[in-house]
Amino acid sequence: MLARTVRQGTTILNGREYLDIENEVWVEFARGMMPMMMPAAQFMAAQLESPARLLDIAAGHGIFGVMALAKHPGLQVDALDWPAVLAVAAENAAKFGVADRWSKREGSALEMDFGAGYDVIYLTNFLHHFDVAECTAILKRCRAALRPGGMLATLEFVPNPDRVSPPASAAFSLTMLLNTPAGDAYTQAELEAMLLDAGFTSNVLHQVPASAQQLMISR
């Protein structure tokens, strides 16, 4: 299958089915991934400066928004994802005692209106599913939903310019090739180009401690 995929240059599977928000695999994925994402969630929460409103796009297990709530008592979080996955996130919000400041917005991040006036938007492990044009369109919608001076926090596997290191990011790029119609693990330069096109003029990349992932902070 790998050889056929490489020769074709895109997945030989039904990539749209993989990305379907109604696919039950995402519920199992949300439950399984939550413990692995805790270091990144805590690191992201530490980067915030007393925000009032946060939009957690494609929230999944919800632990990113939940850890932000746990660290910032004045924060309200809106978590956007499809209903079955948000049920997992709601369990985590209750588990950590922040359910009273956590709200769900049910639907597809590709179709829903993000709203406006957010201090922070979390975009975690999402852009790698899509091509540059669709990523840029998503980022433009994020910018429109932020208040002036607001912050976008994008968590991704970011390979070096050689695209074969570090190993985890290089391997993740292959995972996207195998499973999505046009997804990829984007380099820092590629992410910055999309963010600049979307109107984010300040973009700083951080290595997440105890993680193979990187966090881009954009304003």
Side-chain angles (χ1 to χ4, degrees):
M1 186 176 78
L2 176 58
R4 285 179 59 198
T5 301
V6 172
R7 283 194 293 268
Q8 182 170 294
T10 187
T11 182
I12 62 174
L13 305 174
N14 185 340
R16 284 298 167 187
E17 182 177 320
Y18 172 82
L19 295 176
D20 184 0
I21 63 170
E22 300 293 340
N23 191 332
E24 287 292 331
V25 71
W26 294 116
V27 177
E28 298 175 16
F29 184 82
R31 293 191 186 281
M33 288 298 293
M34 190 276 280
M36 294 176 62
M37 292 294 106
M38 186 64 78
Q42 293 173 330
F43 179 74
M44 291 174 68
Q47 311 310 305
L48 306 183
E49 300 172 358
S50 301
R53 298 181 65 212
L54 186 154
L55 176 63
D56 190 1
I57 295 176
H61 40 66
I63 202 63
F64 297 108
V66 167
M67 287 296 98
L69 287 166
K71 188 169 182 63
H72 301 279
L75 179 63
Q76 298 282 332
V77 168
D78 293 334
L80 193 162
D81 215 317
W82 72 289
V85 175
L86 284 178
V88 179
E91 292 173 7
N92 287 324
K95 176 181 177 181
F96 285 92
V98 297
D100 59 325
R101 294 182 288 121
W102 181 93
S103 300
K104 60 184 179 180
R105 295 182 59 188
E106 297 178 347
S108 168
L110 299 178
E111 300 170 358
M112 288 185 66
D113 181 2
F114 289 167
Y118 286 99
D119 300 291
V120 179
I121 292 178
Y122 274 3
L123 195 62
T124 56
N125 296 313
F126 191 60
L127 292 182
H128 55 241
H129 293 109
F130 311 105
D131 63 18
V132 170
E134 195 153 14
C135 287
T136 303
I138 292 165
L139 292 170
K140 287 180 178 179
R141 292 170 60 208
C142 290
R143 183 177 181 274
L146 285 167
R147 66 164 177 78
M151 184 182 89
L152 174 67
T154 305
L155 183 71
E156 287 288 343
F157 288 95
V158 182
N160 293 327
D162 61 15
R163 300 197 62 84
V164 296
S165 64
S169 296
F172 193 79
S173 182
L174 184 60
T175 299
M176 291 299 97
L177 176 64
L178 285 168
N179 290 285
T180 67
D184 201 356
Y186 295 105
T187 66
Q188 181 177 351
E190 289 169 334
L191 285 173
E192 288 176 345
M194 290 185 281
L195 286 158
L196 286 168
D197 194 12
F200 292 96
T201 55
S202 173
N203 302 289
V204 181
L205 191 69
H206 303 266
Q207 177 62 48
V208 179
S211 170
Q213 292 196 281
Q214 291 75 36
L215 176 68
M216 183 76 83
I217 298 292
S218 304
R219 301 180 186 277

